[in-house]
Amino acid sequence: MNDPYGTFVDSAVGKRLAKALGLPMPVQLRRHTPGAPLLEGPALVLGGTPAAEAAARLLTGWGVEVQTSRAESVKYAAVVACFDGIDTPAAIGETVLDLGGTLRQLATNSRVVTVAEDPEAASVAEDPAARAARQGITGLTRSLAHEMRAGGTANGIQLGDGVGLDAPGAAGALRFLLSGRSAYVSGQFLPVTTTAGRLPEDPDRPLAGKVAVVTGAARGIGAAIIRTLARDGATVVGVDVPAAGESLTAVVNELGGTALPLDITAEDAGARILEHCRSRHGRMDIVVHNAGITRDKMLANMDAARWDSVLAVNTLSQLRMNEAFLAEDAKDVVGEGLRIVTLASTSGIAGNRGQTNYAASKSGVMGLAAATAPLLAARGGTINAVAPGFIETEMTAKIPLLTREVGRRINSLSQGGTPVDVAEAIAFLVSDAAGGTNGNTLRVCGQAMMGA
Ligand code: NAD
Protein backbone atom coordinates (compact mmCIF):
# COMPACT_ATOMS: atom_id res chain seq x y z
CA MET A 1 0.00 0.00 0.00
CA ASN A 2 1.38 3.43 -0.94
CA ASP A 3 0.97 5.25 2.42
CA PRO A 4 4.12 7.36 3.06
CA TYR A 5 2.52 9.09 6.09
CA GLY A 6 1.67 5.72 7.68
CA THR A 7 5.26 4.54 7.16
CA PHE A 8 6.64 7.80 8.60
CA VAL A 9 4.62 7.72 11.85
CA ASP A 10 5.61 4.09 12.29
CA SER A 11 9.28 5.19 12.58
CA ALA A 12 10.78 6.29 15.95
CA VAL A 13 11.13 9.96 14.88
CA GLY A 14 7.69 9.98 13.23
CA LYS A 15 6.05 8.52 16.33
CA ARG A 16 7.54 11.22 18.57
CA LEU A 17 6.58 14.02 16.18
CA ALA A 18 3.03 12.74 15.64
CA LYS A 19 2.50 12.38 19.38
CA ALA A 20 3.80 15.89 20.10
CA LEU A 21 1.61 17.43 17.38
CA GLY A 22 -1.45 15.28 18.12
CA LEU A 23 -1.45 13.85 14.58
CA PRO A 24 -3.21 10.59 13.66
CA MET A 25 -1.12 7.53 14.51
CA PRO A 26 -2.24 4.54 12.46
CA VAL A 27 -0.94 1.14 13.52
CA GLN A 28 -0.60 -2.04 11.46
CA LEU A 29 -3.97 -3.79 11.84
CA ARG A 30 -4.22 -7.41 12.98
CA ARG A 31 -5.64 -9.32 10.02
CA HIS A 32 -6.80 -12.93 9.79
CA THR A 33 -4.30 -15.65 9.00
CA PRO A 34 -5.61 -19.21 8.80
CA GLY A 35 -4.48 -21.29 11.76
CA ALA A 36 -3.70 -18.28 13.99
CA PRO A 37 -5.40 -18.12 17.41
CA LEU A 38 -8.65 -16.13 17.57
CA LEU A 39 -7.14 -13.68 20.12
CA GLU A 40 -3.58 -13.14 21.25
CA GLY A 41 -4.35 -12.74 24.96
CA PRO A 42 -7.10 -13.11 27.56
CA ALA A 43 -10.64 -11.80 27.20
CA LEU A 44 -12.73 -10.13 29.90
CA VAL A 45 -16.47 -10.83 29.91
CA LEU A 46 -18.59 -8.28 31.80
CA GLY A 47 -22.25 -8.09 32.81
CA GLY A 48 -22.99 -11.37 34.57
CA THR A 49 -26.05 -11.85 32.31
CA PRO A 50 -27.15 -14.96 30.33
CA ALA A 51 -25.29 -13.54 27.30
CA ALA A 52 -22.16 -13.10 29.45
CA GLU A 53 -22.38 -16.76 30.50
CA ALA A 54 -22.79 -17.79 26.85
CA ALA A 55 -19.86 -15.57 25.80
CA ALA A 56 -17.59 -17.14 28.44
CA ARG A 57 -18.58 -20.65 27.29
CA LEU A 58 -18.04 -19.83 23.63
CA LEU A 59 -14.69 -18.13 24.17
CA THR A 60 -13.40 -20.98 26.29
CA GLY A 61 -14.45 -23.40 23.55
CA TRP A 62 -12.50 -21.30 21.05
CA GLY A 63 -9.33 -21.64 23.13
CA VAL A 64 -9.41 -18.14 24.67
CA GLU A 65 -8.52 -17.57 28.34
CA VAL A 66 -11.59 -15.92 29.92
CA GLN A 67 -11.88 -13.73 33.02
CA THR A 68 -15.15 -12.38 34.43
CA SER A 69 -13.71 -9.69 36.68
CA ARG A 70 -10.85 -7.32 35.98
CA ALA A 71 -7.42 -8.18 37.30
CA GLU A 72 -4.83 -5.39 37.60
CA SER A 73 -1.76 -5.64 35.35
CA VAL A 74 -3.40 -7.99 32.81
CA LYS A 75 -3.39 -6.84 29.16
CA TYR A 76 -6.73 -7.81 27.63
CA ALA A 77 -7.02 -8.69 23.95
CA ALA A 78 -10.80 -8.25 24.13
CA VAL A 79 -13.71 -7.23 26.33
CA VAL A 80 -17.24 -8.53 25.78
CA ALA A 81 -19.70 -6.29 27.65
CA CYS A 82 -23.21 -7.76 27.98
CA PHE A 83 -26.33 -5.66 28.53
CA ASP A 84 -29.07 -8.22 27.85
CA GLY A 85 -32.16 -8.14 30.05
CA ILE A 86 -31.75 -4.44 30.82
CA ASP A 87 -35.07 -2.60 30.64
CA THR A 88 -34.16 0.93 31.78
CA PRO A 89 -31.26 3.26 30.95
CA ALA A 90 -30.63 3.49 34.72
CA ALA A 91 -29.31 -0.08 34.65
CA ILE A 92 -26.59 0.41 32.01
CA GLY A 93 -24.11 2.40 34.09
CA GLU A 94 -22.56 -0.32 36.21
CA THR A 95 -21.29 -2.46 33.32
CA VAL A 96 -20.31 0.62 31.28
CA LEU A 97 -18.12 1.95 34.08
CA ASP A 98 -16.60 -1.49 34.55
CA LEU A 99 -15.79 -1.47 30.84
CA GLY A 100 -14.31 2.03 31.11
CA GLY A 101 -12.03 0.83 33.90
CA THR A 102 -10.44 -1.75 31.61
CA LEU A 103 -9.68 0.51 28.64
CA ARG A 104 -6.16 1.37 29.79
CA GLN A 105 -5.44 -2.36 30.00
CA LEU A 106 -6.26 -3.12 26.37
CA ALA A 107 -3.56 -4.59 24.15
CA THR A 108 -2.77 -3.30 20.63
CA ASN A 109 -5.47 -4.25 18.09
CA SER A 110 -7.90 -5.09 20.89
CA ARG A 111 -11.62 -5.73 20.45
CA VAL A 112 -14.60 -4.51 22.44
CA VAL A 113 -17.93 -6.15 21.64
CA THR A 114 -21.15 -4.97 23.30
CA VAL A 115 -24.07 -7.41 23.38
CA ALA A 116 -27.60 -6.10 23.85
CA GLU A 117 -31.09 -6.84 22.64
CA ASP A 118 -32.23 -5.30 19.35
CA PRO A 119 -33.80 -1.84 19.87
CA GLU A 120 -35.97 -2.50 16.78
CA ALA A 121 -37.43 -5.72 18.21
CA ALA A 122 -41.24 -5.92 18.25
CA SER A 123 -41.25 -6.65 21.99
CA VAL A 124 -40.06 -3.11 22.87
CA ALA A 125 -41.93 -1.22 20.15
CA GLU A 126 -44.17 0.28 22.84
CA ASP A 127 -41.78 0.21 25.82
CA PRO A 128 -39.96 3.58 25.91
CA ALA A 129 -37.66 2.75 28.84
CA ALA A 130 -36.48 -0.59 27.43
CA ARG A 131 -36.00 0.87 23.98
CA ALA A 132 -34.10 3.84 25.40
CA ALA A 133 -31.80 1.41 27.22
CA ARG A 134 -31.15 -0.70 24.13
CA GLN A 135 -30.73 2.27 21.84
CA GLY A 136 -28.43 3.85 24.43
CA ILE A 137 -25.99 0.97 23.88
CA THR A 138 -25.62 2.00 20.22
CA GLY A 139 -24.53 5.55 21.11
CA LEU A 140 -22.17 4.30 23.77
CA THR A 141 -20.59 1.70 21.46
CA ARG A 142 -20.14 4.17 18.60
CA SER A 143 -18.57 6.76 20.91
CA LEU A 144 -16.25 4.18 22.43
CA ALA A 145 -15.20 3.14 18.91
CA HIS A 146 -14.05 6.73 18.35
CA GLU A 147 -12.04 6.55 21.60
CA MET A 148 -10.28 3.24 20.89
CA ARG A 149 -6.54 3.42 20.28
CA ALA A 150 -3.80 1.44 18.56
CA GLY A 151 -5.93 -0.43 16.02
CA GLY A 152 -8.62 -1.32 18.57
CA THR A 153 -12.27 -1.56 17.47
CA ALA A 154 -15.64 -1.48 19.22
CA ASN A 155 -18.74 -3.04 17.68
CA GLY A 156 -22.07 -4.42 18.87
CA ILE A 157 -24.28 -7.46 18.50
CA GLN A 158 -28.04 -6.86 18.66
CA LEU A 159 -30.05 -9.91 19.62
CA GLY A 160 -33.58 -10.26 18.24
CA ASP A 161 -36.56 -11.48 20.29
CA GLY A 162 -35.92 -15.04 21.47
CA VAL A 163 -32.30 -15.09 20.21
CA GLY A 164 -29.55 -15.81 22.75
CA LEU A 165 -25.82 -15.25 22.26
CA ASP A 166 -25.47 -19.01 21.94
CA ALA A 167 -27.62 -19.03 18.76
CA PRO A 168 -25.35 -19.96 15.82
CA GLY A 169 -25.75 -16.57 14.10
CA ALA A 170 -24.94 -14.67 17.31
CA ALA A 171 -21.96 -16.88 18.16
CA GLY A 172 -20.79 -16.46 14.54
CA ALA A 173 -21.12 -12.67 14.83
CA LEU A 174 -19.14 -12.67 18.10
CA ARG A 175 -16.33 -14.72 16.58
CA PHE A 176 -16.19 -12.46 13.50
CA LEU A 177 -16.06 -9.26 15.54
CA LEU A 178 -13.29 -10.62 17.80
CA SER A 179 -11.23 -11.98 14.92
CA GLY A 180 -8.73 -10.38 12.54
CA ARG A 181 -11.41 -10.77 9.86
CA SER A 182 -13.10 -7.59 11.15
CA ALA A 183 -9.89 -5.49 11.22
CA TYR A 184 -11.47 -2.48 9.45
CA VAL A 185 -14.97 -2.76 10.97
CA SER A 186 -15.56 -0.37 13.86
CA GLY A 187 -18.56 1.41 15.38
CA GLN A 188 -20.92 -1.06 13.66
CA PHE A 189 -23.73 -3.41 14.73
CA LEU A 190 -24.67 -6.88 13.61
CA PRO A 191 -28.37 -7.52 14.25
CA VAL A 192 -28.99 -11.24 14.72
CA THR A 193 -32.73 -11.58 14.40
CA THR A 194 -33.22 -15.35 14.04
CA THR A 195 -31.74 -18.56 15.40
CA ALA A 196 -30.93 -19.70 11.83
CA GLY A 197 -27.40 -20.54 10.77
CA ARG A 198 -24.66 -22.97 11.68
CA LEU A 199 -21.11 -22.68 12.96
CA PRO A 200 -18.57 -24.32 10.65
CA GLU A 201 -16.81 -27.54 11.67
CA ASP A 202 -13.50 -26.00 10.62
CA PRO A 203 -13.38 -22.22 11.29
CA ASP A 204 -10.67 -21.88 8.65
CA ARG A 205 -12.83 -23.54 5.93
CA PRO A 206 -16.33 -22.15 6.59
CA LEU A 207 -17.27 -22.28 2.89
CA ALA A 208 -16.16 -25.85 2.18
CA GLY A 209 -18.46 -27.54 -0.34
CA LYS A 210 -20.08 -24.26 -1.53
CA VAL A 211 -20.07 -22.82 -5.03
CA ALA A 212 -19.63 -19.03 -5.04
CA VAL A 213 -20.16 -16.57 -7.91
CA VAL A 214 -18.36 -13.21 -7.74
CA THR A 215 -19.03 -10.48 -10.33
CA GLY A 216 -16.30 -8.00 -11.24
CA ALA A 217 -13.71 -10.56 -10.11
CA ALA A 218 -10.90 -9.65 -12.53
CA ARG A 219 -9.33 -6.98 -10.33
CA GLY A 220 -9.57 -4.73 -7.27
CA ILE A 221 -11.95 -5.65 -4.48
CA GLY A 222 -13.58 -8.40 -6.59
CA ALA A 223 -10.25 -10.23 -7.02
CA ALA A 224 -9.70 -10.03 -3.22
CA ILE A 225 -13.22 -11.37 -2.61
CA ILE A 226 -12.82 -14.36 -4.92
CA ARG A 227 -9.40 -15.20 -3.42
CA THR A 228 -10.80 -14.96 0.13
CA LEU A 229 -13.83 -17.14 -0.64
CA ALA A 230 -11.53 -19.73 -2.25
CA ARG A 231 -9.21 -19.61 0.78
CA ASP A 232 -12.26 -20.28 2.97
CA GLY A 233 -13.01 -23.43 0.97
CA ALA A 234 -15.48 -22.35 -1.75
CA THR A 235 -15.33 -23.43 -5.39
CA VAL A 236 -15.34 -20.09 -7.18
CA VAL A 237 -16.85 -18.73 -10.39
CA GLY A 238 -15.50 -15.37 -11.55
CA VAL A 239 -17.61 -13.12 -13.77
CA ASP A 240 -16.35 -10.00 -15.53
CA VAL A 241 -16.73 -8.17 -18.85
CA PRO A 242 -15.24 -10.01 -21.87
CA ALA A 243 -12.62 -7.21 -22.23
CA ALA A 244 -11.22 -8.20 -18.81
CA GLY A 245 -11.16 -11.89 -19.83
CA GLU A 246 -7.39 -12.34 -19.60
CA SER A 247 -7.01 -11.03 -16.04
CA LEU A 248 -10.19 -12.86 -15.01
CA THR A 249 -8.79 -16.17 -16.27
CA ALA A 250 -5.48 -15.52 -14.50
CA VAL A 251 -7.28 -14.93 -11.17
CA VAL A 252 -9.61 -17.95 -11.35
CA ASN A 253 -6.91 -20.31 -12.65
CA GLU A 254 -4.80 -19.49 -9.61
CA LEU A 255 -7.76 -20.63 -7.47
CA GLY A 256 -8.89 -23.70 -9.43
CA GLY A 257 -12.20 -21.97 -10.26
CA THR A 258 -13.97 -21.20 -13.52
CA ALA A 259 -14.38 -17.97 -15.48
CA LEU A 260 -17.53 -16.61 -17.10
CA PRO A 261 -16.85 -13.58 -19.33
CA LEU A 262 -20.16 -11.72 -19.24
CA ASP A 263 -21.53 -8.19 -19.14
CA ILE A 264 -23.93 -8.29 -16.18
CA THR A 265 -26.21 -5.70 -17.79
CA ALA A 266 -27.22 -8.28 -20.43
CA GLU A 267 -30.92 -9.23 -20.16
CA ASP A 268 -30.03 -12.90 -19.79
CA ALA A 269 -27.07 -12.44 -17.37
CA GLY A 270 -28.84 -14.30 -14.55
CA ALA A 271 -29.79 -17.21 -16.83
CA ARG A 272 -26.20 -17.45 -18.13
CA ILE A 273 -24.73 -17.53 -14.64
CA LEU A 274 -27.21 -20.25 -13.65
CA GLU A 275 -26.41 -22.27 -16.77
CA HIS A 276 -22.65 -21.96 -16.12
CA CYS A 277 -23.07 -23.14 -12.51
CA ARG A 278 -25.44 -25.95 -13.59
CA SER A 279 -23.15 -27.33 -16.29
CA ARG A 280 -19.76 -26.75 -14.63
CA HIS A 281 -20.46 -27.17 -10.90
CA GLY A 282 -23.99 -28.58 -10.46
CA ARG A 283 -25.01 -25.94 -7.91
CA MET A 284 -24.83 -22.31 -6.81
CA ASP A 285 -24.78 -21.40 -3.09
CA ILE A 286 -23.32 -17.89 -2.92
CA VAL A 287 -23.52 -14.75 -5.07
CA VAL A 288 -21.46 -11.61 -4.50
CA HIS A 289 -22.68 -8.66 -6.58
CA ASN A 290 -19.40 -6.76 -6.62
CA ALA A 291 -19.14 -5.37 -10.19
CA GLY A 292 -19.70 -1.64 -10.12
CA ILE A 293 -18.73 1.55 -11.94
CA THR A 294 -18.45 5.28 -11.23
CA ARG A 295 -19.16 8.07 -13.74
CA ASP A 296 -18.75 11.11 -11.49
CA LYS A 297 -20.17 14.53 -12.45
CA MET A 298 -21.87 17.30 -10.52
CA LEU A 299 -25.62 16.98 -11.05
CA ALA A 300 -25.71 20.27 -12.96
CA ASN A 301 -23.46 18.63 -15.58
CA MET A 302 -24.95 15.14 -15.45
CA ASP A 303 -25.98 13.56 -18.76
CA ALA A 304 -28.24 10.61 -19.46
CA ALA A 305 -25.35 8.32 -20.45
CA ARG A 306 -23.56 8.76 -17.11
CA TRP A 307 -26.73 8.48 -15.06
CA ASP A 308 -28.13 5.46 -16.92
CA SER A 309 -24.90 3.44 -17.12
CA VAL A 310 -24.23 3.68 -13.36
CA LEU A 311 -27.78 2.69 -12.44
CA ALA A 312 -27.74 -0.10 -15.05
CA VAL A 313 -24.53 -1.74 -13.81
CA ASN A 314 -24.78 -1.05 -10.09
CA THR A 315 -28.46 -1.66 -9.36
CA LEU A 316 -30.75 -2.71 -12.23
CA SER A 317 -28.57 -5.67 -13.25
CA GLN A 318 -28.75 -7.02 -9.69
CA LEU A 319 -32.54 -6.73 -9.54
CA ARG A 320 -32.78 -8.74 -12.78
CA MET A 321 -30.21 -11.36 -11.77
CA ASN A 322 -31.76 -11.91 -8.32
CA GLU A 323 -35.15 -12.41 -9.95
CA ALA A 324 -33.62 -15.14 -12.14
CA PHE A 325 -31.84 -16.77 -9.17
CA LEU A 326 -35.08 -16.89 -7.13
CA ALA A 327 -37.27 -18.15 -10.00
CA GLU A 328 -38.95 -21.55 -9.82
CA ASP A 329 -36.92 -22.91 -12.78
CA ALA A 330 -33.60 -22.15 -11.00
CA LYS A 331 -34.38 -24.50 -8.12
CA ASP A 332 -32.40 -27.38 -9.67
CA VAL A 333 -29.17 -25.38 -9.28
CA VAL A 334 -30.02 -22.93 -6.46
CA GLY A 335 -30.86 -25.08 -3.48
CA GLU A 336 -32.04 -24.00 -0.03
CA GLY A 337 -29.89 -21.41 1.73
CA LEU A 338 -28.71 -19.12 -1.08
CA ARG A 339 -26.57 -16.34 0.40
CA ILE A 340 -26.18 -13.05 -1.48
CA VAL A 341 -24.04 -10.02 -0.66
CA THR A 342 -24.23 -6.78 -2.61
CA LEU A 343 -21.58 -4.05 -2.59
CA ALA A 344 -22.91 -0.69 -1.42
CA SER A 345 -20.70 2.25 -0.41
CA THR A 346 -20.49 4.85 2.35
CA SER A 347 -21.27 7.34 -0.46
CA GLY A 348 -24.70 5.72 -0.57
CA ILE A 349 -25.13 6.45 3.16
CA ALA A 350 -23.67 9.94 3.51
CA GLY A 351 -23.88 11.13 -0.09
CA ASN A 352 -20.83 12.47 -1.89
CA ARG A 353 -20.23 15.54 -4.01
CA GLY A 354 -20.15 14.65 -7.71
CA GLN A 355 -21.70 11.23 -7.09
CA THR A 356 -25.50 11.65 -7.28
CA ASN A 357 -25.68 8.76 -9.74
CA TYR A 358 -23.31 6.47 -7.82
CA ALA A 359 -24.88 7.27 -4.42
CA ALA A 360 -28.38 6.63 -5.82
CA SER A 361 -27.21 3.26 -7.13
CA LYS A 362 -25.51 2.32 -3.85
CA SER A 363 -28.29 3.41 -1.49
CA GLY A 364 -30.52 1.61 -3.97
CA VAL A 365 -28.80 -1.73 -3.37
CA MET A 366 -29.16 -1.31 0.39
CA GLY A 367 -32.92 -0.97 -0.16
CA LEU A 368 -32.80 -3.89 -2.58
CA ALA A 369 -31.13 -6.05 0.08
CA ALA A 370 -33.67 -5.09 2.77
CA ALA A 371 -36.64 -5.84 0.48
CA THR A 372 -35.24 -9.10 -0.92
CA ALA A 373 -34.42 -10.43 2.57
CA PRO A 374 -37.91 -11.89 3.27
CA LEU A 375 -37.88 -13.74 -0.08
CA LEU A 376 -34.56 -15.36 0.78
CA ALA A 377 -35.54 -16.05 4.40
CA ALA A 378 -38.50 -18.07 3.12
CA ARG A 379 -35.93 -20.36 1.45
CA GLY A 380 -33.41 -20.48 4.29
CA GLY A 381 -31.13 -17.90 2.67
CA THR A 382 -29.95 -14.35 3.36
CA ILE A 383 -29.02 -11.18 1.51
CA ASN A 384 -26.96 -8.40 3.06
CA ALA A 385 -25.05 -5.36 1.84
CA VAL A 386 -21.46 -4.36 2.61
CA ALA A 387 -20.62 -0.67 2.41
CA PRO A 388 -16.86 -0.04 2.05
CA GLY A 389 -15.37 3.32 2.99
CA PHE A 390 -11.92 4.44 1.81
CA ILE A 391 -10.25 1.31 0.42
CA GLU A 392 -6.70 1.33 -0.96
CA THR A 393 -7.23 0.35 -4.61
CA GLU A 394 -5.99 1.50 -8.02
CA MET A 395 -9.08 3.73 -8.06
CA THR A 396 -8.28 5.53 -4.80
CA ALA A 397 -4.53 5.73 -5.64
CA LYS A 398 -5.51 8.10 -8.48
CA ILE A 399 -7.21 10.61 -6.14
CA PRO A 400 -5.08 13.81 -5.77
CA LEU A 401 -2.72 13.58 -2.77
CA LEU A 402 -4.43 16.01 -0.38
CA THR A 403 -7.96 14.69 -0.95
CA ARG A 404 -6.58 11.14 -0.66
CA GLU A 405 -4.84 11.93 2.65
CA VAL A 406 -8.06 13.38 4.09
CA GLY A 407 -10.10 10.42 2.80
CA ARG A 408 -7.84 7.81 4.34
CA ARG A 409 -7.35 9.57 7.73
CA ILE A 410 -10.87 10.72 8.70
CA ASN A 411 -11.84 7.47 10.37
CA SER A 412 -11.26 5.98 13.79
CA LEU A 413 -8.34 3.83 12.61
CA SER A 414 -6.59 6.77 10.80
CA GLN A 415 -5.90 4.68 7.70
CA GLY A 416 -7.49 3.31 4.56
CA GLY A 417 -8.81 -0.24 4.47
CA THR A 418 -7.54 -2.90 2.09
CA PRO A 419 -9.57 -4.93 -0.43
CA VAL A 420 -9.02 -7.94 1.87
CA ASP A 421 -10.85 -6.14 4.71
CA VAL A 422 -13.94 -5.86 2.52
CA ALA A 423 -13.51 -9.44 1.33
CA GLU A 424 -13.33 -10.79 4.91
CA ALA A 425 -16.63 -9.11 5.87
CA ILE A 426 -18.24 -10.59 2.76
CA ALA A 427 -16.78 -14.04 3.44
CA PHE A 428 -18.38 -13.88 6.89
CA LEU A 429 -21.79 -12.72 5.61
CA VAL A 430 -21.99 -15.48 2.98
CA SER A 431 -21.08 -18.15 5.54
CA ASP A 432 -23.68 -20.15 7.49
CA ALA A 433 -22.26 -18.57 10.68
CA ALA A 434 -23.99 -15.33 9.60
CA GLY A 435 -27.32 -17.12 8.99
CA GLY A 436 -29.14 -15.01 11.64
CA THR A 437 -28.39 -11.68 9.92
CA ASN A 438 -30.58 -10.75 6.95
CA GLY A 439 -31.38 -7.56 5.02
CA ASN A 440 -28.70 -5.61 6.86
CA THR A 441 -25.90 -3.27 5.69
CA LEU A 442 -22.48 -3.68 7.29
CA ARG A 443 -20.00 -0.84 6.84
CA VAL A 444 -16.32 -1.67 6.39
CA CYS A 445 -14.96 1.83 6.77
CA GLY A 446 -12.90 2.06 9.99
CA GLN A 447 -15.80 4.17 11.32
CA ALA A 448 -15.37 6.88 8.69
CA MET A 449 -16.69 10.21 9.90
CA MET A 450 -18.42 10.47 6.54
CA GLY A 451 -21.94 9.13 6.98
CA ALA A 452 -21.34 8.23 10.61
P1 NAD B 1 -12.81 -1.76 -9.97
O1 NAD B 1 -13.23 -0.76 -10.98
O2 NAD B 1 -11.35 -1.90 -9.65
O3 NAD B 1 -13.37 -3.21 -10.37
C1 NAD B 1 -14.69 -3.40 -10.79
C2 NAD B 1 -14.74 -4.64 -11.67
O4 NAD B 1 -16.10 -4.76 -12.14
C3 NAD B 1 -13.85 -4.53 -12.92
O5 NAD B 1 -13.10 -5.72 -13.07
C4 NAD B 1 -14.84 -4.32 -14.04
O6 NAD B 1 -14.41 -4.84 -15.29
C5 NAD B 1 -16.07 -5.07 -13.53
N1 NAD B 1 -17.29 -4.61 -14.21
C6 NAD B 1 -17.67 -3.33 -14.43
N2 NAD B 1 -18.81 -3.31 -15.15
C7 NAD B 1 -19.15 -4.60 -15.39
C8 NAD B 1 -20.22 -5.23 -16.11
N3 NAD B 1 -21.16 -4.50 -16.73
N4 NAD B 1 -20.26 -6.58 -16.14
C9 NAD B 1 -19.29 -7.33 -15.52
N5 NAD B 1 -18.27 -6.78 -14.84
C10 NAD B 1 -18.19 -5.44 -14.79
O7 NAD B 1 -13.66 -1.41 -8.65
P2 NAD B 1 -13.34 -1.72 -7.10
O8 NAD B 1 -12.72 -0.51 -6.51
O9 NAD B 1 -12.68 -3.03 -6.95
O10 NAD B 1 -14.85 -1.78 -6.52
C11 NAD B 1 -15.58 -2.99 -6.42
C12 NAD B 1 -16.96 -2.67 -5.82
O11 NAD B 1 -16.80 -2.03 -4.57
C13 NAD B 1 -17.78 -1.73 -6.69
O12 NAD B 1 -19.14 -2.10 -6.62
C14 NAD B 1 -17.55 -0.39 -6.01
O13 NAD B 1 -18.60 0.50 -6.27
C15 NAD B 1 -17.49 -0.79 -4.55
N6 NAD B 1 -16.76 0.17 -3.70
C16 NAD B 1 -15.44 0.44 -3.87
C17 NAD B 1 -14.78 1.34 -3.01
C18 NAD B 1 -13.29 1.66 -3.12
O14 NAD B 1 -12.78 2.41 -2.28
N7 NAD B 1 -12.58 1.11 -4.08
C19 NAD B 1 -15.51 1.98 -2.00
C20 NAD B 1 -16.87 1.71 -1.88
C21 NAD B 1 -17.48 0.79 -2.72
Side-chain angles (χ1 to χ4, degrees):
M1 172 194 327
N2 179 23
D3 181 3
Y5 176 82
T7 314
F8 174 66
V9 292
D10 216 24
S11 69
V13 180
K15 242 185 216 124
R16 272 204 303 278
L17 195 67
K19 213 170 181 174
L21 297 175
L23 297 173
M25 294 181 64
V27 303
Q28 178 95 41
L29 300 181
R30 172 174 66 98
R31 295 192 164 88
H32 174 71
T33 28
L38 177 62
L39 290 171
E40 286 157 2
L44 181 63
V45 177
L46 299 174
T49 63
E53 282 164 30
R57 263 196 316 276
L58 288 164
L59 284 161
T60 306
W62 295 332
V64 175
E65 182 197 330
V66 174
Q67 297 181 1
T68 50
S69 59
R70 180 164 66 97
E72 300 293 336
S73 79
V74 173
K75 278 267 179 213
Y76 292 105
V79 183
V80 182
C82 299
F83 298 91
D84 46 313
I86 282 174
D87 55 8
T88 162
I92 301 174
E94 195 180 330
T95 304
V96 172
L97 296 176
D98 250 7
L99 170 59
T102 66
L103 296 179
R104 286 196 180 81
Q105 288 175 242
L106 293 181
T108 302
N109 279 305
S110 62
R111 297 283 188 270
V112 173
V113 180
T114 60
V115 181
E117 282 124 345
D118 188 354
E120 311 261 316
S123 57
V124 292
E126 293 178 19
D127 184 339
R131 185 150 180 184
R134 294 178 183 193
Q135 199 115 357
I137 307 301
T138 64
L140 127 79
T141 308
R142 284 201 181 99
S143 298
L144 174 57
H146 285 298
E147 293 179 15
M148 295 292 285
R149 293 183 180 187
T153 64
N155 294 288
I157 295 172
Q158 296 175 327
L159 301 169
D161 286 337
V163 179
L165 190 64
D166 43 11
L174 178 64
R175 192 178 169 107
F176 168 70
L177 292 174
L178 293 173
S179 74
R181 291 177 184 267
S182 61
Y184 202 58
V185 176
S186 197
Q188 307 306 312
F189 298 89
L190 278 169
V192 182
T193 50
T194 73
T195 54
R198 196 171 55 87
L199 291 182
E201 269 152 45
D202 178 353
D204 279 336
R205 307 275 296 167
L207 305 180
K210 309 270 185 181
V211 173
V213 176
V214 180
T215 68
R219 67 174 201 207
I221 295 173
I225 296 169
I226 202 165
R227 287 193 178 104
T228 304
L229 302 189
R231 181 207 66 192
D232 281 357
T235 299
V236 289
V237 176
V239 177
D240 212 302
V241 286
E246 218 169 286
S247 16
L248 178 67
T249 308
V251 173
V252 297
N253 282 355
E254 167 202 318
L255 308 170
T258 57
L260 174 60
L262 168 74
D263 183 334
I264 54 160
T265 60
E267 282 291 328
D268 63 347
R272 287 180 55 193
I273 290 172
L274 286 167
E275 187 42 40
H276 178 95
C277 288
R278 188 180 282 118
S279 62
R280 301 293 295 272
H281 305 286
R283 58 191 289 168
M284 185 180 86
D285 306 283
I286 292 165
V287 177
V288 182
H289 290 301
N290 161 77
I293 59 168
T294 50
R295 296 285 182 271
D296 295 359
K297 269 280 178 223
M298 303 290 264
L299 185 56
N301 303 322
M302 186 67 68
D303 54 51
R306 281 190 174 82
W307 182 268
D308 291 345
S309 59
V310 168
L311 269 291
V313 176
N314 295 4
T315 315
L316 292 165
S317 68
Q318 293 188 25
L319 282 168
R320 244 191 332 263
M321 283 187 278
N322 287 351
E323 202 174 310
F325 300 153
L326 292 171
E328 203 52 39
D329 63 1
K331 281 193 166 158
D332 64 317
V333 56
V334 182
E336 289 288 297
L338 175 67
R339 303 213 184 278
I340 302 178
V341 167
T342 173
L343 267 285
S345 164
T346 47
S347 296
I349 297 170
N352 200 13
R353 195 179 152 85
Q355 289 200 316
T356 48
N357 51 356
Y358 183 71
S361 75
K362 293 301 186 179
S363 47
V365 296
M366 289 186 257
L368 172 165
T372 313
L375 302 177
L376 277 144
R379 302 172 47 160
T382 54
I383 175 167
N384 291 286
V386 164
F390 186 98
I391 304 300
E392 304 281 357
T393 59
E394 283 170 45
M395 187 180 89
T396 47
K398 288 189 190 124
I399 300 174
L401 180 69
L402 204 62
T403 321
R404 187 167 76 230
E405 262 310 293
V406 173
R408 64 156 61 115
R409 300 293 163 220
I410 52 162
N411 59 71
S412 295
L413 296 166
S414 307
Q415 59 191 292
T418 64
V420 169
D421 297 331
V422 179
E424 293 284 12
I426 291 169
F428 163 65
L429 287 170
V430 299
S431 76
D432 291 340
T437 300
N438 196 10
N440 187 49
T441 297
L442 177 65
R443 288 169 53 173
V444 181
C445 65
Q447 199 181 28
M449 311 305 167
M450 197 176 95

